[in-house]
Every structure is written in C-alpha cells, then in structure tokens.
Amino acid sequence: MAQTTTTLILFLLLHLLLLLLPSLHSLPLQSQSLIHRACLATSDYASCTSRLRTQIHHPDPNQPDSTRILHAAAHLAINEALRSIQTITTLSPLSTTLRERAAIEDCQDLLDLSVHQISQSLAEITLLSNAHHEANLRTWLSAALSNQDTCLEGFEGTDGRLRHYARAGLNEVTQLVSNLFEVYKRLRSIIPRGNETKWVENAEVTGWITEEEMEMVRGDAREMVADAVVASDGTGRFRTLGEAVEEAPDHSLRRYVIFVKRGVYRENVELKRKKSNIMLVGEGMGVTVITGNRNFVQGWTTFRTATFAVSGPGFIARDITFRNTAGPQNHQAVALRVDSDRSAFFRCSIEGYQDTLYAHSLRQFYRDCHIHGTIDFIFGNGQAIFQNCKIFTRKPLSFQKVTITAQGRKDHNQNTGFSIHNSFVYATVPTYLGRPWKAFSRTVFMQSYLGPGVQPAGWLEWAGDFALNTLFYGEYMNYGPGSGLAGRVRWPGYHVIRDAAVAEYFTVRRFIDGAKWLPTTRIPFTADLID
C-alpha cells in the first residue's frame, strides 16, 4: 500500500511539473526535431531542451517557431561561451609558465571573438533575404566553431592540468555552435524571408570607406593625408606602430589611416577586435618592415607568436613587410595572424619559416603579395583567396618536408578554405602543395604557375590516412614544370577539377563574396576565373 501511495505521489508531482513547464509535445513535430538537433550531444541534454522550450514559448507574435528556435540556440551558445570565459579566467592564478599564461590569454580573446561572432550571426537570422546575409551568417559561425580548438591547442607543451580544466566548457561551446549550424541548415528552406532586395554587385557598404579614402588607397603613400604617422627617426607623431595603434579610435566607422615611414620596426603589434577600419600604409615591401622573433621554442603559443596580429574588421594593409626571423630551428613562428573579416592585403611581403601566415578565420584577400616559408607556412581556417601572389619556399631543416598550406576546416558545414588563384609557386626545394591539418581541410590551386620543386604527388599526408576521405583538395588549369597530374595522389578527397562551374565556386565573387566589398578598397582583383 505504501509503495502504491509513493508511486501515486510521484505521478502527481510529475504531472504537475509537466503542467508548469512548457511541453515539448505541444510543439509541432518539426519544432521537436529541431530542438533535439540543437541539443544533440550536449553535456546536459535535458537542461538544454528545457531552456530552448522556455525560450521559444516566450510570446512573440511577430516571430515564427523556426526563427525563435534559431535565436534560442544562438543564445545558448553565447551564454556557454561567457561561462567558459569565466572558467578560463579563474585558471590564471594556476598558470606557472609563459605558455600557460599565453594560452589563457588566447582563450579569453578567442572566446570573446566567439561571443561576438555568434551575436553577429544572431542579428543576421532575421535578415536572410539574400545570399549576402547567408554568407555573413555562415562565415561568422564558421569562425566561432574553430576558436575553441585554437584555445585548446595553446596548451600543447604544458603538463595538461589547465587544458583538462578548460576542455569541458570549450567542448560544450563547440558542440552548441555545431548544432546551431545544423539547425540553420534544416531551417534554411523554410525561414520566412524579408523583403527581397535587388542585388547590386558593386554597391558600397555604408561606413566602409569614403570616396576621399578610396583615392588614398590608389594614391602614392607619400601623398596621403594620414590620421597618424609613425617614424622610427622621430619625424612622425609616433616612433612605434604599437603606440599609433593604441591611440587609434575604437569601433571606428570611417577609415583611419596609419602611415608607417620607411624603417625597421622591431615590435609585436596586435589590433584587437575593437580597432575596426584601420588602414596600414608603408613605403614598400622591404622598405617598411615590422619584424619580431617570437616562437614556440621560447614558450609562446603559436597564436601569440605573431609579429603582427589583427582582429578588427575591415583592415587594409599595403606596401609593407611583416617578418618573423626566428628561423626553422625554432619551429612555429608566425609573421602575420589575421582574424579580421573583410580584410585585404596589397603588395605586402609576409616572411618566415614554419607557420608564416596564420589565416586564422573570416574573409581575407591577398593581392600581389609575397609569402615565404618552409612548413605549413599558409595555415589556419580562414576563408582566404590569394591572387597574383608569389609564394617562395625556403630550405627547411634536414628532417623536414616543405608544405605550403595546412588548412584547418574541421566541420563540413564551414565555408572556409584557401584558394590560390592566378599566382606563382616558386618552389626551388622539394615542395608539397598542402597537407590536411583538420578533417575537412580544403585548398585549391587554380590557373597558377607551379615551379619545378613541386613533387609529382603534389600533396602530403598529415598522419596516415587521416582526413584523406573527407578533405577537398583541387587543382584547376595550372601550368609550369610542377603542374603535371599523372603522379598525383589518389585520395578520395583529391580532385582534378575539369568543370569550370566547380572552379568558379572558389573565385573572389563566390568564395569570399568579394564583389560586394573589395571594390570599395580600390585594391585590384579579378572576380572570376581568368579567360
């Protein structure tokens, strides 16, 4: 009798709880499925679904279930990222080495970027009226999905204590962003569209750059009217670039021009996310040089070795050299790291050995640039196009193999990858075009010159058969002594691209939405394939 009474009480309590909480079964089957997808593989599935149901039951007659689910899923990811920042911050007193301190700082910055990028995606959800808004959403979610991996990678070479403490929250953020991607994919065809706007291919972006500033980009550096002048000899307002960056306005809506006079500037410089729309102008490659020698062997994280790093959106650099002189014996040593969306580099030289250019995330364009290195010297998970660039391979250590790219796409939903288009690979030592850093690595070489050092196989494994089925590596209409295809790898993920329609996906117009924003920079570019 007692057992029956207990069972009855439990039944009544459960029934009351179901009445008080929003009921999953009161939702359409499609919404139930989407909620399941948004919380799949999270550490507390019940809590996740409960929070989502609460969010979407909040009365909002102007917002359908589909949009509310996306909004709720985005808020879950943002809140988890904020919790992870708090967790990481509490680890600071436990850090005892340079690398641990650098890794914690990396994580704080990267999680802050994730919060910002998910928030940007959230704002785009109700604006999905054309391909431009969808491109923005996918780009920002792609970046937010990778930041946590970079955070954890910073703890490599430590004793693992702090990595263990940080991992749980970081994995949860990654899972929630990945799920958000999947929910977006499933809803994409049914999300109510706003008023369709006519797509204007060369429309200018409000607040991006004025006509006067366009003339600056085209003109001679010495004739520019700059907001700040840096000169190591004291003839400018600032003697170091770091000082000029510190004084630059935060969240600028107009182009802020920093002119760096000829000279060698030995400093490590970082433009944080708040430093938007900065334009950095030098007097020429090899004439204006920013140089440093931070490296992994010294105890820095790879992320923090960068001589110059930029996260602020809308960055432009021209006529300048970014250099890391650490040498091949010091392993990872970044000359330039880029997390800046819609960033552009024109007539810049990027010089290092291992891990020279960290194209970490978001949309990037390189034109008429020189890039020097040994191992994985163009790497990261950015959405980057290199056009009319010259790629120079350097002699590595005796036991090393030269690989140009190591692209880090980790999820099939990400729209990231590297496209080397109409460029020149001057390979004077045995060279491979790339190897897969992450499972869905994606790189193409198109209509480019491949020098004699490019090996017949073309591409190199990372570790055994890792990613060989899931990567996407392609070659299209290349030429030169290293372009022969007869001896190329036979991996399932490698493609000899013969269809121009496939190659067009990796052009400026399609891959980085460049026809929308590059015209305003007045940096020359080719939107499509070369005829």
Side-chain angles (χ1 to χ4, degrees):
M1 180 66 178
Q3 184 176 0
T4 303
T5 303
T6 303
T7 303
L8 180 60
I9 292 171
L10 288 174
F11 175 79
L12 291 172
L13 286 173
L14 179 60
H15 183 68
L16 178 61
L17 184 62
L18 290 173
L19 289 174
L20 292 174
L21 290 175
S23 173
L24 176 61
H25 298 292
S26 68
L27 295 170
L29 287 175
Q30 184 183 59
S31 294
Q32 294 180 41
S33 174
L34 292 171
I35 288 174
H36 166 73
R37 172 59 64 183
C39 294
L40 191 64
T42 55
S43 60
D44 191 339
Y45 176 83
S47 173
C48 179
T49 54
S50 175
R51 283 182 288 168
L52 270 180
R53 291 197 301 270
T54 300
Q55 178 82 15
I56 68 171
H57 271 279
H58 185 75
D60 185 350
N62 298 318
Q63 203 175 66
D65 271 358
S66 58
T67 304
R68 278 188 283 168
I69 290 172
L70 269 175
H71 272 265
H75 280 295
L76 281 180
I78 290 169
N79 290 336
E80 191 61 45
L82 290 171
R83 276 192 288 272
S84 290
I85 292 175
Q86 293 176 337
T87 300
I88 292 292
T89 301
T90 64
L91 300 180
S92 291
L94 303 177
S95 60
T96 59
T97 67
L98 170 62
R99 180 162 294 130
E100 287 178 342
R101 290 191 295 272
I104 288 171
E105 186 179 349
D106 291 354
C107 291
Q108 290 169 328
D109 287 351
L110 288 159
L111 284 164
D112 176 69
L113 286 173
S114 288
V115 169
H116 178 67
Q117 289 153 357
I118 300 166
S119 298
Q120 286 181 299
S121 303
L122 184 62
E124 290 290 271
I125 288 171
T126 55
L127 298 173
L128 296 176
S129 58
N130 58 42
H132 172 62
H133 295 297
E134 293 190 30
N136 285 342
L137 187 145
R138 293 191 66 210
T139 291
W140 296 330
L141 286 183
S142 293
L145 192 54
S146 294
N147 291 332
Q148 292 67 238
D149 276 8
T150 307
C151 166
L152 285 175
E153 287 158 5
F155 290 101
E156 291 177 3
T158 69
D159 65 12
R161 296 173 304 124
L162 301 186
R163 180 187 176 100
H164 172 75
Y165 293 142
R167 182 189 294 274
L170 294 166
N171 287 348
E172 189 79 349
V173 176
T174 301
Q175 188 63 60
L176 286 169
V177 177
S178 179
N179 291 352
L180 178 58
F181 238 138
E182 289 291 342
V183 172
Y184 161 70
K185 275 180 59 179
R186 294 185 64 177
L187 287 175
R188 186 171 178 269
S189 62
I190 64 170
I191 292 174
R193 304 288 167 160
N195 293 327
E196 291 290 332
T197 56
K198 184 178 179 181
W199 183 249
V200 182
E201 198 67 69
N202 290 327
E204 291 181 19
V205 181
T206 302
W208 175 254
I209 190 167
T210 67
E211 283 292 339
E212 179 182 351
E213 291 160 347
M214 290 178 192
E215 292 301 322
M216 284 194 228
V217 183
R218 287 187 300 209
D220 187 282
R222 289 164 295 185
E223 299 173 356
M224 287 185 178
V225 178
D227 295 285
V229 176
V230 180
S232 57
D233 61 6
T235 58
R237 181 181 170 192
F238 303 99
R239 284 185 176 270
T240 70
L241 179 56
E243 292 171 330
V245 167
E246 183 66 27
E247 288 295 316
D250 295 343
H251 309 293
S252 176
L253 296 179
R254 60 171 289 272
R255 180 66 54 202
Y256 184 88
V257 179
I258 301 175
F259 175 47
V260 188
K261 288 189 174 182
R262 63 179 57 234
V264 177
Y265 299 83
R266 303 182 189 281
E267 52 183 314
N268 292 84
V269 182
E270 183 169 8
L271 276 72
K272 297 283 192 179
R273 176 173 61 82
K274 64 184 179 180
K275 300 295 182 180
S276 58
N277 291 316
I278 302 292
M279 180 177 178
L280 191 66
V281 181
E283 292 197 62
M285 286 189 283
V287 178
T288 297
V289 179
I290 305 170
T291 185
N293 65 0
R294 281 186 186 175
N295 59 79
F296 190 80
V297 172
Q298 288 176 336
W300 297 98
T301 63
T302 301
F303 190 79
R304 202 60 62 178
T305 62
T307 299
F308 188 91
V310 55
S311 299
F315 178 77
I316 299 175
R318 56 166 280 188
D319 298 312
I320 199 161
T321 291
F322 304 99
R323 181 180 292 164
N324 191 312
T325 61
Q329 70 278 6
N330 286 306
H331 302 287
Q332 298 97 316
V334 176
L336 173 65
R337 190 192 83 227
V338 183
D339 302 276
S340 170
D341 197 21
R342 293 177 168 177
S343 54
F345 299 80
F346 180 45
R347 296 195 307 237
C348 291
S349 186
I350 307 158
E351 303 170 4
Y353 293 86
Q354 182 174 345
D355 291 1
T356 302
L357 171 57
Y358 199 169
H360 183 263
S361 61
L362 303 169
R363 289 166 287 200
Q364 309 173 19
F365 179 69
Y366 300 80
R367 173 76 184 208
D368 297 353
C369 291
H370 295 181
I371 307 167
H372 304 250
T374 55
I375 299 173
D376 305 337
F377 62 96
I378 302 174
F379 78 113
N381 195 25
Q383 199 174 336
I385 290 185
F386 302 83
Q387 201 171 82
N388 202 39
C389 291
K390 295 179 179 179
I391 298 171
F392 298 93
T393 59
R394 288 176 155 175
K395 186 177 180 181
L397 299 177
S398 58
F399 59 88
Q400 295 176 329
K401 293 181 179 180
V402 173
T403 47
I404 296 173
T405 67
Q407 204 282 327
R409 183 169 172 251
K410 61 167 288 183
D411 187 288
H412 68 282
N413 287 318
Q414 291 175 306
N415 59 354
T416 54
F418 297 157
S419 174
I420 292 86
H421 182 212
N422 191 30
S423 291
F424 306 87
V425 176
Y426 293 113
T428 56
V429 297
T431 299
Y432 295 89
L433 300 177
R435 60 180 184 149
W437 183 24
K438 299 292 175 68
F440 292 89
S441 182
R442 182 161 63 175
T443 300
V444 297
F445 283 75
M446 308 193 304
Q447 299 181 317
S448 293
Y449 170 83
L450 305 183
V454 175
Q455 297 299 282
W459 306 81
L460 187 67
E461 299 88 350
W462 184 271
D465 62 357
F466 169 73
L468 303 188
N469 293 324
T470 52
L471 60 78
F472 185 99
Y473 286 164
E475 296 182 58
Y476 176 74
M477 290 183 63
N478 297 311
Y479 62 98
S483 65
L485 300 174
R488 288 297 195 253
V489 295
R490 295 291 186 266
W491 307 337
Y494 170 73
H495 305 272
V496 176
I497 301 173
R498 304 190 188 280
D499 186 349
V502 175
E504 283 169 359
Y505 176 78
F506 298 99
T507 60
V508 163
R509 186 185 306 278
R510 296 279 305 281
F511 196 57
I512 59 171
D513 198 22
K516 178 67 177 177
W517 58 275
L518 276 173
T520 62
T521 69
R522 286 302 187 263
I523 291 175
F525 69 93
T526 302
D528 304 300
L529 297 171
I530 305 297
D531 291 333

